[in-house]
Every structure is written in structure tokens, then in C-alpha cells.
Amino acid sequence: MSATNAELFARAQAAIPGGVNSPVRAFRSVGGTPRFLVSAKGPYVTDAEDREYVDLVAGWGPAILGHADPRVIEAVTDAASRGLSFGASTPAETELAELVEQRVGPVEKLRLVSTGTEATMSAIRLARGFTGRDLLVKFAGHYHGHSDGLLAEAGSGLATFALPGSAGVPAGIAALTLVLPYNDVDAVRAAFAEHGDRIAAVIVEAAAANMGVVAPLPGFNRTLVELAHEHGALVISDEVLTGFRVSAAGWWGLEQGTDGAYTPDLLTFGKVIGGGMPVAALGGRADIMQLLAPLGPVYQAGTLSGNPVAVAAGVATLRAADAAVYAHLDAAAATISDAVSGALAAEGVAHAVQRAGNLFSFVFGEDVASGVHDYAGVQRQESWRYPPFFHAMLDAGVSLPPSVFEAWFVTAAHDEAAIGRIIEAVPAAARAAASARPPVG
């Protein structure tokens, strides 16, 4: 065996801030030593100590087919053999854009970028350029990347101008964002009543999945669109996590054909669209998208946008993600979440399963046992029950998201054997959650 996870983490901390390149990887929420992964295949990941885990992180969503799917690997290998980056247009960029447009009706034009943060940042700039307005509405607990205007906390009251939620964010920039409680239509109405002629856009996760999973109440997204349009504002639907994962057309697709059907003006995508490679996108109405340079005055650019190797992974993933894949994801998610819920109930742990399609998570405590619908509800839970639950699963060879405030992800490769290993691990983890005690002080 080469270096241990602990040795690798110590080395990383000497070279990288916090030893990680994205904060949740540091295990601060759950404690203990992060696992350094060296390979992955199907529903499994393997760490530097050669220990295999059933994976319920799936790269935070993009490994929808399973890790190292042969079709994706073949496409990436073929693309890489022809060159890694050209800084010029390639035919595959158009192919990926067409695939997205075929799946998601509101997307008439698409611009490829490299990250979800870049996609949402660009969508907001575009919305401001289109409307000539500055204010942005977002919802508490929703994460849209780490650009300055989106790292904002809610102040007191229903529609208070935000304060910076991170050092390095100027107060003046944060003050251009109104932070409202999620699923609260009255708060949205109040914000538009007071600031309607200054609001450029409402940005919303199509279904929240960055504070755990919190689905929109029926009709909420539709009402957002109606209120925004009534006041000349746009709606940006962030499908970075839900897009092409909860259905072939994302969360928007799930809500079509229902009373909650809606048509956002702009949508942002990431994760699955890149099949595990750094690809993201913004798309929407042609008349809005045409304002992007080189056609219009809203500037956006990126040398690596539409990278041929990354795009190849995205095209292969979307082509392979057919109806059978989505049916399997739904069934696997239901089986696993039901097993976890049953084990927690057997140990007397009050909880609720939070679902949005095949995304799911858990909240702990009597106060939230009927489910939560906003960030305040998520924060009321007994989050201290999750670390011992997490580590019991990890010790049994199951890798969960290292935070209670994250979604769980299944893949099409989670077969009976992988799911069986998860179910076997759950009773001991439920006992660990039941025996947990709140921190002192």
C-alpha cells in the first residue's frame, strides 16, 4: 500500500488551502479524515488505501451512468487522441447544444461554459443586460455558485437587502441581491410590490438540492414566472443539479403536463451535461440569448468553453441516458431511501425523507419529521445525528455525501449487489444516529 488517506491529507494541507480544492471535501461537517480516491468503476469508488466503497455521491451528480462508463470513456479517449484543446469551434459543440435543445423546450439557444458558477454568473449578467435593471432575487439556502452577488445571506424581514455571506464580497454588490424564504409566494409578491421596477431576475434552483433536497411546493415555480413577467423581470431556473438527472428534461420536464407547468426565460446546466468533465451551459429564449457577444452587448467568453474532450463526454452521456436509465435511477433511489427510512424508524429516530425526483436526503428530529419546505426548516433539524450515521456507513464501505446539507445520488450502475451492500450497512448506521447526542455548549 502507498500513502494512507491521513498522510495524503497532511501533504495536501501543506500545499493546498485546507487540503482541498472544494470545501465540502474536507469533512469539516462530519469530522474525520477525507478519503483520497484513486479510481472508480460503475457504482464503486476506491481510495488510496485500496478500499472500495459503494458510492452515493456520483461526482455530485454527473456520473448518472455510473463511473467510467465504457461509452463515455471511449468517446473521451477518441476525442483526446485528436487533441486536448483547440481554442476554436468544433462540430461536437453544436451536437451537444442540439441535444439539450431537443430535451428542454424553453432552450432555443445554448451557450457552453465550463462550470455551474460561470453559467449562473453569465445568466445573471444577461438578464441584467436584457432588462436594464440591477436587482436580483434569490432564495435562502439556494446555491448558484460562488460569484460575488450570489454569496449573500438573508437579513431580517421578508425582503431585506442581503449582507455579504463571504469575506471578500463587497457590501455594495451583495446589496443588489434580495434574499427571500423559499416556497414563500407572499414574500415574492412583497418583494415585487416594493422593488418590482428594479428587479432584473429571479434565480431559483428548479428543485433545491444544496441544503439537502427541498422540492418546490406545487405551482411555486409557475407562480414565480407569472409574478416576474407581470413586473417585466425574468426567471432563471438553475438546473445544474437537477438537469438531465431527475428526468430527460430535468425538473422542468417533470413539471410539464401538470398544473405547475411553467416556462423559465433562462436555464443553467452543469454536472450531467458534462458526463463528469467540466462542462456547463446557459440557455433559453432566443431573443435573450442573442444579446450575448458576438451578436449583442453582453460579454461572455472562455478559452475552454466547449472543450472538445469535455463535450465528447457530455454528448456520450446524454445519448446513453435513455428512458431505461431514468426508470432505474427512480427505482434505485426509492429502494435505498425507503431502506434508510425504515431502519431509522426502527431505531426510533424521528426523520423525514426529502425527495425531488430521484434526488433525496434526510432531515433528523421531531420538529422536522413531517418534512421541511425552506432553509429555516432545514436548519431546525438535529444535524448532529448525521456525522455518526455517515461514519458508520463509511466504515461499512458506503460513501455518502460528507454533509447533511447535500443530496444523495444514485447511478444507473447501482445494481442489486451494490444496493444490497448499502442496505446491509444501514441498520448499524441507524443505531449510531439513534445513540448520537447533541454537542455541549
Side-chain angles (χ1 to χ4, degrees), residues 211-261:
M211 53 178 172
V213 174
V214 181
L217 293 174
F220 179 74
N221 285 335
R222 182 198 64 219
T223 302
L224 286 185
V225 171
E226 292 171 351
L227 288 171
H229 288 180
E230 181 182 332
H231 291 86
L234 304 182
V235 170
I236 303 167
S237 182
D238 183 343
E239 295 240 23
V240 167
L241 282 177
T242 54
F244 317 117
R245 170 158 273 280
V246 298
S247 83
W251 188 262
W252 174 84
L254 287 183
E255 292 201 314
Q256 298 316 295
T258 72
D259 290 340

Side-chain angles (χ1 to χ4, degrees), residues 22 77-78 84 116 120 125 151 171 177 205 231 314 323 333 349 386 429 436:
S22 192
T77 302
D78 181 60
L84 299 181
T120 56
R125 180 180 299 164
L151 288 179
T177 303
E205 286 187 61
H231 291 86
V349 179
Y386 188 73

Side-chain angles (χ1 to χ4, degrees), residues 160-423:
T160 306
F161 286 107
L163 299 173
S166 168
V169 176
I173 292 178
L176 294 175
T177 303
L178 291 167
V179 183
L180 307 181
Y182 185 44
N183 275 321
D184 188 336
V185 169
D186 289 338
V188 180
R189 287 199 177 96
F192 274 109
E194 185 171 355
H195 306 288
D197 61 349
R198 299 173 59 205
I199 295 173
V202 178
I203 187 167
V204 59
E205 286 187 61
N210 284 284
M211 53 178 172
V213 174
V214 181
L217 293 174
F220 179 74
N221 285 335
R222 182 198 64 219
T223 302
L224 286 185
V225 171
E226 292 171 351
L227 288 171
H229 288 180
E230 181 182 332
H231 291 86
L234 304 182
V235 170
I236 303 167
S237 182
D238 183 343
E239 295 240 23
V240 167
L241 282 177
T242 54
F244 317 117
R245 170 158 273 280
V246 298
S247 83
W251 188 262
W252 174 84
L254 287 183
E255 292 201 314
Q256 298 316 295
T258 72
D259 290 340
Y262 62 102
T263 303
D265 303 288
L266 294 170
L267 299 94
T268 59
F269 304 103
K271 311 300 183 187
V272 174
I273 195 179
M277 298 287 279
V279 179
L282 62 148
R285 282 170 38 193
D287 61 323
I288 302 173
M289 294 296 294
Q290 300 281 75
L291 287 185
L292 285 172
L295 294 179
V298 179
Y299 193 74
Q300 182 278 327
T303 299
L304 296 179
S305 297
N307 172 271
V309 180
V311 165
V315 169
T317 298
L318 288 187
R319 289 206 177 281
D322 57 15
V325 164
Y326 291 106
H328 184 90
L329 294 174
D330 292 345
T335 298
I336 295 167
S337 58
D338 287 349
V340 173
S341 182
L344 289 170
E347 295 297 331
V349 179
H351 69 282
V353 186
Q354 297 281 125
R355 305 180 193 270
N358 54 53
L359 294 179
F360 62 95
S361 65
F362 300 86
V363 289
F364 299 91
E366 292 287 355
D367 287 349
V368 296
S370 61
V372 298
H373 302 292
D374 59 16
Y375 191 39
V378 170
Q379 291 176 309
R380 285 198 308 271
Q381 72 172 303
E382 296 173 349
S383 57
W384 41 268
R385 293 194 184 275
Y386 188 73
F389 179 90
F390 169 87
H391 279 288
M393 294 292 282
L394 195 65
D395 290 345
V398 179
S399 177
L400 302 181
S403 169
V404 74
F405 301 107
E406 299 288 354
W408 296 29
F409 299 90
V410 297
T411 79
H414 277 76
D415 56 14
E416 186 175 337
I419 293 172
R421 286 176 57 175
I422 295 168
I423 292 173

